[in-house]
Amino acid sequence: MSRPAMRTVVVTQRFFDEETISYLNSQGCEVRLADLPPGKADGDLSEDTLAQILADADGWIVGHAKVTRQLLGRLPRLQVIARRGVGYERVDTAAVAHLGKVAAVAAGGNDACVADHALALMLAASHRLRESQMRMNAGAWTILTGTDLYRKTVGVVGLGRIGRGVVQRLKGFEARILAATTKPDEEWGRKHGVAYVDLHTLLASSDVVSLHAPLTPDTRMLIDARALAHMKPTAILVNTARGGLVDDAALLDALKAGKLAAAGLDVFLSESDPSYTSVTSELIALPNVIATPHSSASTREGLARTNRIAAQCTVAVLQGGALPAGCVIADGRPAMEFSENSKGPMHA
């Protein structure tokens, strides 16, 4: 009996581990790692370049490239697009479904590392670590007075997996937790000591505001000049979610004017809108801004987890099986029945 033909899986991400490559190989997949230009990510590649790289791909493990209807129309062989991450605002899910393909995210893979990163930004900003080191580098060892995270009021905007992870970590600081979410879970809130409030109350009452909401038309520029004006001048804003949640120009103005104490930022509006590049440059130059380059999910362990989940999603589609729970964001295949041993329906 002849062996099934190998399927081609193209990965347009760096830091793709050998263990996951071996797993894909064991499932009948030939893995091809895209040769990305130095300092560039797949989101920087043109549609023509992506179409060339993916011309013979059955599966695509993608980072931040835009998955458009026009691109997908040029890739008739492609069956599955698996994001090594959880956000999918750059994926045209309607086009994926219409063209009979599947799109998935690596749900649950990076929750822990992003929640850890959010706490790191809170602590670094509240203890003024960047300012202190900048002064020490300049020869001034004067002591700057920081502030505790202990027993402070922390507002968490969005209570998905990462937001809940942040809440659980804050228990060790005996923090008072406020949360603004579209779907409050009262039982979970009581168990973890969370008070559900509206956004206005959260902003006005919190010493730290941490953003964990998805980027949608309703949440775009959620934190604008008006929202920032509701915050305490001693407050800290942390964003490890999406740059589009914050009007970075308004944030820059608030920080420069002393209307906000500090910010911890892993994401920036300039990532999706180059017209904000100069704003980002000014933000990261401020001594009271702790900045990282959208790296909160990039721990060795977190990348290995998301690599594996994206690979499992890819294999499931190519083999006609069920995807891991919570991973499907678009499925254009005909409805299928699964046995009792299946992990559940694939359709979102």
Side-chain angles (χ1 to χ4, degrees):
M1 181 181 293
S2 62
R3 297 180 62 184
M6 294 283 283
R7 305 295 187 93
T8 300
V9 175
V10 174
V11 180
T12 58
Q13 277 281 58
R14 290 187 172 86
F15 311 114
F16 203 72
D17 62 289
E18 289 297 329
E19 186 174 339
T20 303
I21 292 173
S22 295
Y23 163 74
L24 284 165
N25 291 159
S26 74
Q27 299 299 312
C29 297
E30 177 188 356
V31 179
R32 191 165 68 238
L33 304 179
D35 186 15
L36 298 172
K40 299 291 185 180
D42 58 3
D44 301 309
L45 303 180
S46 68
E47 180 187 300
D48 286 342
T49 300
L50 287 170
Q52 183 178 7
I53 291 171
L54 297 163
D56 61 348
D58 300 290
W60 177 17
I61 296 179
V62 61
H64 296 283
K66 288 187 177 180
V67 183
T68 65
R69 180 179 293 270
Q70 185 167 314
L71 174 61
L72 292 174
R74 299 172 66 175
L75 303 170
R77 178 169 165 173
L78 186 67
Q79 296 181 48
V80 53
I81 304 99
R83 269 226 68 223
R84 191 185 71 181
V86 294
Y88 55 92
E89 68 275 2
R90 294 189 177 198
V91 179
D92 187 337
T93 53
V96 170
H98 182 257
L99 294 171
K101 305 179 190 297
V102 179
V105 294
N110 61 18
D111 306 351
C113 44
V114 178
D116 285 353
H117 200 93
L119 265 291
L121 292 176
M122 292 180 198
L123 289 166
S126 61
H127 285 267
R128 302 174 73 178
L129 300 188
R130 172 173 160 82
E131 291 177 85
S132 294
Q133 186 164 355
M134 289 175 68
R135 291 192 179 205
M136 291 172 72
N137 286 337
W141 283 53
T142 51
I143 294 174
L144 297 175
T145 304
T147 187
D148 286 343
L149 184 57
Y150 174 62
R151 291 189 174 177
K152 287 297 190 293
T153 297
V154 181
V156 178
V157 181
L159 270 186
R161 288 179 296 267
I162 296 170
R164 290 186 177 200
V166 168
V167 169
Q168 291 169 329
R169 284 156 174 76
L170 286 167
K171 286 182 178 181
F173 294 86
E174 298 181 26
R176 175 188 176 220
I177 309 295
L178 305 179
T181 178
T182 56
K183 298 178 180 179
D185 183 332
E186 298 296 342
E187 182 178 351
W188 192 91
R190 284 192 297 272
K191 180 179 178 181
H192 294 278
V194 174
Y196 293 110
V197 297
D198 60 78
L199 182 62
H200 181 279
T201 300
L202 183 148
L203 293 173
S205 305
S206 298
D207 300 299
V208 178
V209 173
S210 193
L211 304 181
H212 303 285
L215 181 60
T216 69
D218 290 334
T219 61
R220 186 172 294 278
M221 298 292 197
L222 184 70
I223 306 300
D224 56 10
R226 184 176 179 181
L228 290 165
H230 289 308
M231 294 179 65
K232 299 178 182 180
T234 54
I236 296 166
L237 178 68
V238 172
N239 188 8
T240 55
R242 285 291 183 268
L245 295 175
V246 179
D247 181 343
D248 282 352
L251 174 60
L252 177 64
D253 289 343
L255 288 165
K256 290 170 69 174
K259 296 178 180 179
L260 201 66
L265 306 173
D266 185 50
V267 289
F268 300 88
L269 192 51
S270 59
E271 292 177 75
S272 58
D273 186 347
S275 69
Y276 278 81
T277 299
S278 62
V279 172
T280 297
S281 296
E282 286 193 65
L283 273 172
I284 65 177
L286 293 177
N288 55 342
V289 170
I290 308 295
T292 50
H294 204 149
S295 60
S296 61
S298 297
T299 64
R300 290 187 298 272
E301 300 85 354
L303 289 171
R305 288 191 297 267
T306 50
N307 284 343
R308 185 59 177 245
I309 295 170
Q312 289 171 335
C313 290
T314 301
V315 167
V317 174
L318 296 180
Q319 295 182 353
L323 279 72
C327 291
V328 179
I329 57 173
D331 192 340
R333 298 171 299 173
M336 300 175 67
E337 296 293 333
F338 297 105
S339 70
E340 292 181 2
N341 294 325
S342 169
K343 294 182 180 179
M346 286 187 282
H347 295 274

